Amino acid sequence: QITMSLNSSTLSNEENTQGAKRNTECLGSLLQTPSSFQDNPLQQLQLASQEVLEKAKKSGRSKCPRCNSSRMFYCYTCFVPVETVPTKDIPTVKLPLKIDIIKHPNETDGKSTAVHAKLLAPDDVTIYKYPCIPEYEEKKHEIALIFPGPNSVSVKDIAVHLQKYSKKGVCASDDDCSREPLLKQAKIEPKEEKNPNEGISSSRSEGTRLKKIIFIDSTWNQTNKIITDERLQGLLQIELKTRKTCFWRHQKGKPDTYLSTIEAIYYFLVDYHQEILKESYKGQYDNLLFFFSFMHTLVKDAKCCAGKE
């Protein structure tokens, strides 16, 4: 995540009162009519109707149904839509595996896109605030961590590396291993040669043993405290190297391949669907960017109106 505020990224502190008023009026007029998507890199997404968000934006902030705080679109502490955004109008996405998001304690809740994942895939996403995170030691053979580093691998190589984890064994005791039939199966696997087709099938099977993905939600300068935690050591690390961020709070001086949390989740799942599940992608996870794409358009329109582009 990157930490520039929406206001600071769209309105300069040096603007005079008249300029700020002009920008506000311009943004208001843009919200009255459909925005131009000709330069929007997210325009190809297959999204549910965002009319509910357009209406909510026009009506302004609303109350969280749980804590009664005033919010726009959703409550980032309760992980629920506000009163002007009915839950029935928010799409739900089913994921092929579970996701844990570890949030840095100093990460500003209102600036994080991690909440988008919880809102849109509530059954498959869990958010933890560091240092209160699970123990992953006994499940290393079915968990991976999304984080760039010297030992990180690409999504397409997950199968090969999970196979290594299985063969090494990661159980704390014999009793633990007895509950992992996949590990025992690896030890008694016959040595006879297999044909190439069986090898491909086996590789895919290894990849689908992945049960959970971990994402770190923090500024890039804050990640060191979390990534060095002993509970995350030894996990398979995956890096998404071919995607570029569309995040409006992207931190200066960092590569454009450093993604916001919701982008990282989305792009990982697209790659996983194609590279590991070996299925054609037809927009199954596009709605994970339901809120992100809408906010991206608002910010882009505001910048354009303010003469920043």
Side-chain angles (χ1 to χ4, degrees):
Q1 286 289 7
I2 315 300
T3 58
M4 282 175 59
S5 70
L6 176 60
N7 287 336
S8 64
S9 63
T10 56
L11 298 175
S12 169
N13 291 331
E14 297 177 358
E15 281 184 323
N16 57 34
T17 304
Q18 186 175 19
K21 181 179 179 181
R22 182 173 63 252
N23 183 75
T24 302
E25 292 173 348
C26 183
L27 178 56
S29 66
L30 285 168
L31 293 173
Q32 300 301 317
T33 58
S35 175
S36 172
F37 285 87
Q38 64 180 8
D39 296 322
N40 188 346
L42 304 174
Q43 63 182 321
Q44 301 301 322
L45 296 174
Q46 299 179 42
L47 299 173
S49 171
Q50 294 176 319
E51 183 179 0
V52 63
L53 299 183
E54 293 172 357
K55 290 180 177 179
K57 178 62 179 176
K58 292 175 183 177
S59 61
R61 299 168 73 89
S62 181
K63 285 185 178 181
C64 167
R66 292 187 183 176
C67 69
N68 290 322
S69 296
S70 177
R71 302 280 190 253
M72 179 64 75
F73 303 132
Y74 54 81
C75 179
Y76 43 77
T77 52
C78 299
F79 309 141
V80 294
V82 294
E83 293 177 346
T84 55
V85 182
T87 302
K88 64 181 179 62
D89 293 331
I90 300 300
T92 300
V93 184
K94 181 61 181 174
L95 307 185
L97 34 67
K98 299 298 182 181
I99 288 177
D100 281 0
I101 300 175
I102 300 175
K103 193 173 182 300
H104 192 284
N106 294 336
E107 175 71 358
T108 305
D109 291 340
K111 297 177 182 177
S112 170
T113 62
V115 62
H116 297 182
K118 183 62 179 176
L119 283 162
L120 298 163
D123 294 337
D124 298 316
V125 176
T126 304
I127 298 179
Y128 297 94
K129 180 166 288 190
Y130 187 84
C132 299
I133 66 174
E135 294 285 348
Y136 296 109
E137 177 66 29
E138 296 179 12
K139 298 290 185 179
K140 285 184 179 179
H141 58 292
E142 58 185 33
I143 297 175
L145 171 66
I146 302 295
F147 195 81
N151 299 318
S152 61
V153 303
S154 64
V155 173
K156 66 181 178 63
D157 292 327
I158 288 176
V160 175
H161 288 273
L162 277 187
Q163 190 172 30
K164 293 177 182 177
Y165 274 70
S166 294
K167 288 181 177 179
K168 287 179 181 178
V170 293
C171 297
S173 69
D174 291 337
D175 289 337
D176 288 332
C177 283
S178 67
R179 293 194 293 270
E180 297 293 343
L182 291 178
L183 293 178
K184 282 198 167 186
Q185 188 176 14
K187 292 179 181 179
I188 62 174
E189 191 174 331
K191 296 181 180 180
E192 61 189 59
E193 294 220 359
K194 299 179 180 179
N195 65 49
N197 291 333
E198 287 179 348
I200 293 174
S201 176
S202 174
S203 178
R204 181 185 182 280
S205 177
E206 292 286 351
T208 54
R209 288 181 187 176
L210 184 66
K211 301 292 178 60
K212 181 176 289 186
I213 288 290
I214 302 170
F215 292 83
I216 296 176
D217 184 58
S218 74
T219 63
W220 288 104
N221 292 331
Q222 294 172 337
T223 56
N224 188 62
K225 181 176 181 180
I226 297 178
I227 197 63
T228 56
D229 189 287
E230 61 179 8
R231 290 167 290 183
L232 300 181
Q233 301 311 301
L235 292 176
L236 177 63
Q237 286 187 213
I238 300 171
E239 182 172 3
L240 307 175
K241 301 178 180 179
T242 62
R243 310 290 188 174
K244 293 185 178 181
T245 186
C246 292
F247 197 32
W248 50 93
R249 296 189 184 114
H250 183 67
Q251 189 173 358
K252 291 182 179 180
K254 299 298 181 182
D256 58 6
T257 52
Y258 279 21
L259 307 171
S260 66
T261 301
I262 194 63
E263 287 178 299
I265 292 172
Y266 169 73
Y267 286 127
F268 167 79
L269 289 170
V270 172
D271 290 346
Y272 179 83
H273 194 85
Q274 296 172 317
E275 299 284 355
I276 303 301
L277 300 185
K278 302 297 182 183
E279 298 176 12
S280 60
Y281 183 71
K282 299 179 180 178
Q284 290 91 331
Y285 314 119
D286 282 11
N287 275 322
L288 285 175
L289 299 179
F290 180 75
F291 292 105
F292 183 89
S293 63
F294 186 80
M295 294 177 178
H296 176 273
T297 300
L298 289 181
V299 174
K300 187 175 179 64
D301 287 345
K303 285 183 177 181
C304 183
C305 190
K308 296 296 177 81
E309 292 186 356

